Amino acid sequence: MDDSKARAVTSLAILGGTPAFPEKIHVGRPNVGNRERLIERINKIVDTRYLSNSGPFEREIEQRICEMLDVRYCAAMCNATVALEIAVRALNLSGEILVPSFTFVATVHALQWQQITPVFCDIDPRTHNLDPRKIERLITPRTSGILGVHLWGRPCPIDELQAVADANGLALLFDAAHAFGCKYGGRKIGGFGRAEVLSFHATKFINAGEGGAVVTNDADLAARLQLMKNFGFSGYDNVISIGINGKMNELSAAMGLTNLESVEEFARSNRENFETYQDHLDGIRGLSLLRYDERNSPNYQYVVVEIDARELGLTRDQLVSVLHAENILARRYFYPGVHRMEPYRSCYPEAGLHLPETEALAGRILVLPTGAAVSSTDIQKICAIIRFAVEHSRKILEALPGS
Ligand code: T4K
């Protein structure tokens, strides 16, 4: 793509050219650590025939997470969605919980699944996180908590949210699915609020294939979490509470432990990728790369750009079409906002009226491929395609069917 001047716009795959990448380039390609270490652990699992139910690796990963995040207790679970459900249940929350709509749908499903009404609060367009100035007016006598999401690993305004929670007697908890290893005010994410929920899904910074965890400094809560994730069993034949199957199996724990050993390497390669994007997208008017604050030790798992269609000459969705045709599977996370997905769209048809920033942002955001499996050369090629498409936006629009 260096020969952008000489190239004809019809060489773009969307206009009939050959895709720039023969294989699809994904946003969520998993980071995988040392293969030998993983196989060693898997061999151990097979040798001992201990596959699940408080196995040694599940226990070890809980301990390891506590050490790494400076928290007292960790309950490893099968995924973050179930972990969120168990957390709100163990905290005895009910009625209504304030939550952003600009998040992955699982954050909100976890509440609805527990028959708790999600009350959507708008975000601050600068941070993409809950806007604490908009929280208070949404509190009603039925409100029991606030569920903040550290979106893209950038921490919520935790102090402000905690102040609102304290003033109104609400539980504050966090969906920290994106924020493993990140900090707020010099402290690691994990120890804030009543509890924080981590995801170890394949696409996350640290993955266990599928996995999640609830971390907390509250000993009673931690005991309830351990009970609830294991059907309420307290020893053989002794069920002492409601529970579900939320356990992390040994294969997942083995994968998670192995990947935790590579946390620094993943952070480094994500950061290098981010910097390559930064260098090569620089100066494209109408496209701005979401910045991370180094003081918060970001994990750079998400490379997010915001599109101003008027300046760029292409809408976000037109750019997505250009990229997808080239086999670059950029994603529109978290379009169109949870309030516009079912069942929320039908249950709360008016919600959008109070979410102007969420609605606007959901139309502007694009997430680009990164992770250890995406090379610097790939990224340079992706950026060159974006630049080329933007330079030729008018011709692309003229040539596109229906224009
Ligand atoms: N809270 C927040 C804020 C979250 O973002 C999430 C999950 C959760 C809670 C719930 O956590 P978990 O219950 O999942 O632990 C993906 C992930 O499935 C989801 O975990 C994640 N957020 C969300 C942001 O992204 P999709 O629908 O985009 O998944 P999918 O299958 O399209 O995968 C994304 C890309 O990754 C694909 O283009 C292919 C690639 N990929 C995916 C997998 C699974 C691979 O290359 N290899 C793989 O193994 O939701």
Side-chain angles (χ1 to χ4, degrees):
M1 285 272 163
D2 306 335
D3 54 342
S4 66
K5 295 241 166 16
R7 255 186 98 198
V9 70
T10 47
S11 65
L12 284 170
I14 196 166
L15 300 180
T18 308
F21 292 92
E23 307 279 337
K24 294 191 186 324
I25 303 277
H26 294 283
V27 162
R29 197 76 171 181
N31 296 328
V32 180
N34 187 296
R35 191 183 289 250
E36 283 72 39
R37 294 282 292 149
L38 176 62
I39 290 171
E40 240 174 66
R41 288 190 167 105
I42 292 174
N43 279 335
K44 208 161 175 183
I45 292 170
V46 176
D47 288 345
T48 59
R49 299 283 202 278
Y50 210 108
L51 306 187
S52 191
N53 292 6
S54 292
F57 287 140
E58 189 190 19
R59 290 284 164 240
E60 189 181 336
I61 200 169
E62 289 179 336
Q63 199 186 332
R64 192 79 196 98
I65 290 167
C66 286
E67 288 159 8
M68 290 179 83
L69 302 189
D70 298 329
V71 284
R72 288 218 184 91
Y73 307 100
C74 171
M77 301 206 190
C78 51
N79 59 56
T81 310
V82 168
L84 277 164
E85 285 173 30
I86 293 178
V88 295
R89 187 102 187 204
L91 282 164
N92 220 359
L93 302 182
S94 61
E96 297 172 359
I97 291 189
L98 303 173
V99 67
S101 167
F102 196 64
T103 180
F104 188 60
V105 70
T107 315
V108 182
H109 275 346
L111 301 178
Q112 187 82 14
W113 198 264
Q114 291 299 320
Q115 313 217 339
I116 290 172
T117 304
V119 175
F120 296 112
C121 179
D122 212 359
I123 47 160
D124 180 334
R126 291 163 307 168
T127 65
H128 300 187
N129 282 323
L130 275 180
D131 186 341
R133 295 166 305 177
K134 294 186 177 160
I135 288 262
E136 207 128 20
R137 72 185 77 143
L138 298 171
I139 296 172
T140 73
R142 296 189 69 227
T143 312
S144 63
I146 302 171
L147 173 52
V149 180
H150 305 304
L151 209 76
W152 320 127
R154 301 198 309 175
C156 286
I158 296 177
D159 290 338
E160 288 92 330
L161 293 179
Q162 190 65 64
V164 177
D166 291 345
N168 294 279
L170 305 178
L172 176 63
L173 72 160
F174 294 103
D175 176 338
H178 297 181
F180 191 92
C182 305
K183 289 182 179 165
Y184 173 83
R187 270 175 62 201
K188 302 229 176 88
I189 295 292
F192 293 99
R194 298 286 307 278
E196 302 209 55
V197 175
L198 307 166
S199 171
F200 301 117
H201 181 259
T203 57
K204 293 297 186 294
F205 177 55
I206 296 294
N207 85 77
E210 288 274 3
V214 186
V215 282
T216 180
N217 287 314
D218 177 336
D220 293 338
L221 176 62
R224 287 199 296 281
L225 293 167
Q226 288 292 351
L227 270 179
M228 283 187 168
K229 75 173 212 186
N230 188 25
F231 313 101
F233 272 111
S234 169
Y236 292 127
D237 313 323
N238 189 23
V239 173
I240 61 168
S241 93
I242 182 83
I244 194 167
N245 186 353
K247 292 169 272 117
M248 179 182 275
N249 72 71
E250 290 295 281
L251 287 162
S252 287
M255 181 67 139
L257 279 166
T258 306
N259 288 333
L260 282 173
E261 288 167 357
S262 295
V263 65
E264 279 162 23
E265 187 192 318
F266 297 158
R268 195 169 45 248
S269 80
N270 277 358
R271 189 196 165 122
E272 283 167 10
N273 284 354
F274 179 84
E275 286 168 353
T276 308
Y277 272 116
Q278 186 167 262
D279 292 347
H280 290 265
L281 292 176
D282 189 41
I284 302 182
R285 287 189 55 187
L287 182 149
S288 52
L289 183 64
L290 190 94
R291 306 283 157 164
Y292 291 95
D293 185 340
E294 270 301 306
R295 287 171 301 180
N296 294 332
S297 115
N299 59 33
Y300 293 101
Q301 182 67 8
Y302 292 95
V303 173
V304 183
V305 292
E306 251 183 271
I307 304 298
D308 178 332
R310 253 196 314 194
E311 281 210 59
L312 196 75
L314 293 170
T315 64
R316 187 271 312 270
D317 291 353
Q318 285 163 342
L319 183 58
V320 168
S321 302
V322 168
L323 294 174
H324 280 209
E326 305 288 351
N327 276 335
I328 304 160
L329 295 194
R331 297 294 296 266
R332 301 185 300 175
Y333 292 143
F334 290 100
Y335 177 82
V338 178
H339 68 287
R340 289 174 66 190
M341 299 175 178
E342 292 297 355
Y344 313 104
R345 187 171 56 182
S346 299
C347 293
Y348 319 109
E350 310 277 284
L353 296 175
H354 311 288
L355 302 169
E357 302 297 353
T358 300
E359 297 228 315
L361 196 67
R364 294 203 300 262
I365 291 292
L366 189 58
V367 178
L368 298 172
T370 189
V374 182
S375 72
S376 165
T377 317
D378 292 340
I379 293 172
Q380 291 178 41
K381 212 159 142 186
I382 293 169
C383 295
I385 290 165
I386 294 175
R387 196 175 288 278
F388 183 81
V390 171
E391 283 167 7
H392 296 84
S393 59
R394 196 173 299 168
K395 282 194 190 147
I396 295 173
L397 295 181
E398 281 165 11
L400 276 180
S403 57

